Amino acid sequence: MQYEFLKQFTKRMKNVGLYALLFANSSQKMIWRQYGFDNSSEQWNVIFSVLLYLMEQSLKEERCVMEDIGAYIDTLNTAYFKKRMSYEDCCKLGDFIVNVVLSNEGRPMYFEGYDFESREYKRMHISYVANRIIYLDTEIKRTSYYLTDDGYSLLLGTLEIENNMKLTIHEMIFKLHLEKQSYDKAVDEMKNVFNLLRMQLQRIREAMARIRRNALNYSVTDYQNILESNMETIKDTRRQFLEYRDMVKERALRLEEEHINVHKLEPKEEENLRNLRTIEQYLNRAIDEHQKILNNHLDLKALYTKELEDMSQMSFIRRFSLRGELFDKILDAKTVPTDLEIFLRPLFLKEPPKAYNLNKAFEAQHSSRKKEETDSSEEIDFDEESWQRQQERLRQKKLEKYQSCLEFLLERLSAHQKITLAECQKEIEKEPEKKEQFIPNVEIFREVVVELLKSREIDIPALKKERREFIQERSADFELHEMLLQIVDNRDAKGSPQIQKICARRMEDGCVVEFENVKDAEGNLKKIRCSNILFECIY
């Protein structure tokens, strides 16, 4: 699968469907207006209030008949909503919420989520509430309602886990998946942990921006909450992540050694190796985010302290009205003062002491650095179009080297259908001029061989179909399938036999193939040693 993060897409869409079907069943219903709930926000508040009541009754395993729901809505309306509804109206509204909004009038509800692995939409059944028959006083037969698993998932996803506990819970689940070697699930949990760290860092930066705008608008309670959240995140997290990273590195190294020295990995083991590498990558990023959170935490404390100190200093500034204290008194004086310059002279002899000007804080600020960069850019003679053309020529030249390597292989396969890497090495020894075509440099040769081994079996008609059905941007770098299609198209235009599949696999014959005096990207001579590989072409 090209995008690993789309593996659990149907589960995500199931959660989306829980809200989407509720909205579809509730919107555009006139019954809401009959009871005074004109605003959609009010309607949603009532629906989730009823859902919470159903959850509490289900957890306590107590009855929940329609009269109970009506009495509950009547109590809420009397104390909070203040709508003009009688007890009978509340029972009718409860019946509408349970039987229409939550149960879709008894009709089954489905939501379609696309499964990217099977390439088709899957219908997912959704049910919020169910009912059972109970007997009141051993004779009266009534219907009692309770929440289903989907109903619990809907409500538990809204609040039930506090923010400061989410990181701990996901970390515990990640650790359990590592111990059970469920690496695919551990990848998802590690992504959740990284997302929580990224969200915490964003909250700190948003808080710093609010403090810079006006520290008085950022309450002490908000400041305390974010500091406590930072400390919960920082506490022991780095040490645990480092331990997890060492564990993951050790397991990945063990699998790689088995792959190189003992035997070829099974598909399941190869998937585990990829998942371990992904986990290691996210652990490294999580450790970096942890360090950023720690640095920003200290910056936040210093910034808030400084802003409050600056605000407190404003109270010591004494202000006088120049008109009231000077001009009016001069005008009211019976005699013209002859020594007025003595009073005004100090204002022009030295610069007045700087004071905090609150008005300047709200003026649009212009970066002097930006102006300097603009000025400097005008002095530099840089031909961007020429530079772009040069970069495009270098890119095309590099892609031509990839293409020459693949064309060399396809030419040999068209003649023999099967060829090994050892046979290619012998052919190059006989004709050294073909060496540069097959191995332009060490890096390109390695990348082409690795991509072929990763793909194992390349279905050419399937790739052509995908190219016709999907619009994709052309990659600026080497992409194996794209370049193979380009080469195959050129061969088909010349009337060559149409290729159906190209296969590549490592041979277990113990043969080691060596290519000597091969240049790397910097022009240094290297020696390549690798296992023997079988290439096969099916027409």
Side-chain angles (χ1 to χ4, degrees):
M1 189 175 182
Q2 185 178 2
Y3 299 110
E4 295 293 329
F5 55 80
L6 291 176
K7 277 190 173 181
Q8 305 295 329
F9 187 75
T10 51
K11 290 185 178 180
R12 294 182 183 275
M13 295 311 296
K14 176 70 176 289
N15 294 329
V16 174
L18 293 175
Y19 293 93
L21 293 182
L22 264 187
F23 178 78
N25 292 343
S26 173
S27 63
Q28 306 300 325
K29 303 293 185 181
M30 296 304 297
I31 192 172
W32 288 111
R33 299 185 182 274
Q34 296 177 14
Y35 300 120
F37 295 98
D38 301 327
N39 193 307
S40 61
S41 299
E42 294 179 338
Q43 299 167 14
W44 279 95
N45 278 276
V46 176
I47 292 172
F48 274 84
S49 299
V50 173
L51 275 170
L52 283 172
Y53 178 73
L54 289 169
M55 184 177 73
E56 288 299 314
Q57 296 300 103
S58 302
L59 291 174
K60 292 187 292 187
E61 296 185 351
E62 295 182 359
R63 75 173 199 181
C64 184
V65 298
M66 194 55 65
E67 285 79 3
D68 297 328
I69 298 172
Y72 168 71
I73 296 176
D74 185 51
T75 304
L76 291 183
N77 181 60
T78 303
Y80 306 104
F81 298 141
K82 308 293 184 181
K83 303 295 182 181
R84 293 181 179 179
M85 292 193 302
S86 63
Y87 172 74
E88 289 75 15
D89 293 334
C90 292
C91 289
K92 291 179 182 178
L93 181 60
D95 181 75
F96 165 72
I97 292 174
V98 173
N99 291 317
V100 176
V101 177
L102 300 178
S103 300
N104 196 28
E105 298 179 352
R107 297 188 296 269
M109 292 178 286
Y110 296 95
F111 191 80
E112 292 188 347
Y114 194 81
D115 189 341
F116 286 90
E117 294 186 74
S118 60
R119 297 174 180 267
E120 62 181 5
Y121 281 96
K122 286 190 175 180
R123 296 183 72 193
M124 297 171 287
H125 179 253
I126 291 178
S127 173
Y128 305 100
V129 295
N131 59 71
R132 58 175 176 266
I133 302 300
I134 63 171
Y135 291 89
L136 303 180
D137 300 329
T138 69
E139 294 181 358
I140 304 174
K141 183 179 178 181
R142 301 304 302 275
T143 302
S144 179
Y145 299 91
Y146 61 93
L147 280 189
T148 62
D149 291 341
D150 290 339
Y152 281 117
S153 299
L154 175 68
L155 285 177
L156 293 177
T158 55
L159 175 70
E160 305 306 315
I161 300 176
E162 297 291 339
N163 285 333
N164 57 354
M165 292 295 296
K166 288 182 180 178
L167 182 62
T168 304
I169 291 173
H170 283 297
E171 188 180 338
M172 290 171 58
I173 298 174
F174 168 71
K175 183 178 179 181
L176 290 174
H177 286 321
L178 273 186
E179 292 175 353
K180 293 191 297 184
Q181 297 186 0
S182 301
Y183 299 128
D184 53 342
K185 298 178 181 178
V187 169
D188 296 333
E189 291 302 323
M190 191 61 236
K191 290 180 180 178
N192 291 333
V193 170
F194 174 74
N195 290 336
L196 290 173
L197 292 174
R198 177 62 59 85
M199 290 165 58
Q200 182 65 24
L201 180 61
Q202 290 177 351
R203 280 195 289 269
I204 298 174
R205 290 174 175 173
E206 289 172 0
M208 294 176 69
R210 287 179 57 189
I211 292 171
R212 288 191 182 98
R213 287 195 294 267
N214 189 356
L216 296 179
N217 288 338
Y218 196 78
S219 66
V220 177
T221 304
D222 294 337
Y223 179 67
Q224 180 181 357
N225 291 337
I226 196 168
L227 286 188
E228 291 175 354
S229 179
N230 290 344
M231 294 309 298
E232 288 290 337
T233 304
I234 294 171
K235 183 181 179 182
D236 296 333
T237 306
R238 180 180 177 83
R239 178 182 56 80
Q240 293 171 356
F241 284 171
L242 289 173
E243 292 176 358
Y244 293 147
R245 187 177 66 178
D246 294 340
M247 181 193 306
V248 168
K249 278 186 176 180
E250 181 182 352
R251 294 185 183 182
L253 183 61
R254 193 183 307 135
L255 283 174
E256 286 183 345
E257 290 176 350
E258 291 180 2
H259 182 47
I260 295 174
N261 300 327
V262 181
H263 58 82
K264 183 175 65 174
L265 292 179
E266 298 294 330
K268 180 64 176 176
E269 292 176 332
E270 286 190 356
E271 183 181 0
N272 288 339
L273 182 59
R274 287 196 301 271
N275 289 329
L276 284 170
R277 288 304 182 198
T278 304
I279 293 172
E280 182 183 353
Q281 176 187 357
Y282 273 94
L283 279 170
N284 289 330
R285 295 174 64 185
I287 292 171
D288 293 339
E289 291 296 311
H290 176 275
Q291 186 62 41
K292 292 178 183 177
I293 291 174
L294 178 59
N295 295 337
N296 282 268
H297 171 74
L298 301 176
D299 293 341
L300 174 66
K301 294 177 65 176
L303 175 65
Y304 196 55
T305 303
K306 179 180 179 298
E307 291 293 330
L308 290 181
E309 288 177 352
D310 292 342
M311 287 290 184
S312 63
Q313 289 177 3
M314 291 180 61
S315 61
F316 297 105
I317 299 175
R318 297 184 62 190
R319 299 186 180 275
F320 300 94
S321 172
L322 193 61
R323 174 178 291 277
E325 298 294 330
L326 179 62
F327 295 158
D328 291 344
K329 289 183 179 181
I330 292 174
L331 295 175
D332 293 340
K334 295 179 180 180
T335 59
V336 178
T338 57
D339 54 355
L340 186 60
E341 72 280 359
I342 299 175
F343 182 80
L344 296 176
R345 191 181 297 126
L347 297 176
F348 304 100
L349 292 178
K350 63 178 181 179
E351 294 184 357
K354 293 183 178 180
Y356 185 85
N357 187 350
L358 190 60
N359 294 326
K360 289 290 184 182
F362 295 99
E363 290 182 359
Q365 304 295 315
H366 302 284
S367 174
S368 59
R369 181 184 300 175
K370 184 177 180 180
K371 184 176 183 303
E372 292 175 1
E373 291 176 355
T374 305
D375 295 340
S376 63
S377 64
E378 294 176 356
E379 297 175 1
I380 297 175
D381 184 12
F382 176 69
D383 190 349
E384 184 177 357
E385 293 184 0
S386 175
W387 181 82
Q388 291 285 357
R389 289 195 297 270
Q390 181 182 2
Q391 294 299 315
E392 180 65 20
R393 284 196 298 269
L394 293 175
R395 187 182 69 83
Q396 289 294 338
K397 187 176 180 182
K398 186 176 181 180
L399 290 177
E400 288 173 0
K401 293 180 179 179
Y402 285 106
Q403 185 172 348
S404 71
C405 181
L406 286 172
E407 286 177 345
F408 179 89
L409 278 176
L410 289 180
E411 288 175 4
R412 303 304 175 277
L413 288 174
S414 62
H416 307 287
Q417 290 192 351
K418 290 185 180 181
I419 190 171
T420 64
L421 193 61
E423 292 172 349
C424 293
Q425 190 263 345
K426 291 178 181 178
E427 184 174 343
I428 288 174
E429 287 182 352
K430 295 178 182 178
E431 302 179 46
E433 65 275 4
K434 295 182 179 180
K435 180 179 181 180
E436 188 174 351
Q437 180 187 359
F438 185 43
I439 313 178
N441 60 48
V442 177
E443 290 78 7
I444 290 177
F445 175 74
R446 182 189 295 123
E447 189 172 355
V448 170
V449 172
V450 169
E451 290 296 323
L452 287 170
L453 288 174
K454 280 184 180 179
S455 300
R456 288 179 175 269
E457 184 178 291
I458 302 173
D459 191 337
I460 300 298
L463 291 180
K464 290 182 178 180
K465 181 181 178 182
E466 183 179 356
R467 183 176 60 180
R468 289 193 303 269
E469 295 178 352
F470 297 96
I471 300 175
Q472 299 178 351
E473 293 185 2
R474 189 167 183 178
S475 174
D477 299 321
F478 169 67
E479 208 282 320
L480 177 65
H481 294 170
E482 182 180 332
M483 185 161 286
L484 274 177
L485 286 179
Q486 181 181 346
I487 297 173
V488 169
D489 289 342
N490 294 336
R491 288 173 52 83
D492 293 345
K494 296 177 182 178
S496 301
Q498 292 188 353
I499 300 175
Q500 300 297 318
K501 290 184 180 180
I502 298 175
C503 305
R505 59 182 177 86
R506 197 187 307 270
M507 299 183 65
E508 305 297 339
D509 55 0
C511 176
V512 177
V513 182
E514 294 185 357
F515 297 94
E516 297 184 352
N517 298 325
V518 180
K519 293 182 179 179
D520 60 7
E522 298 177 356
N524 301 318
L525 295 180
K526 300 288 185 179
K527 182 178 182 180
I528 300 178
R529 299 180 73 253
C530 55
S531 305
N532 199 10
I533 300 171
L534 174 64
F535 302 100
E536 184 177 1
C537 182
I538 301 174
Y539 293 95

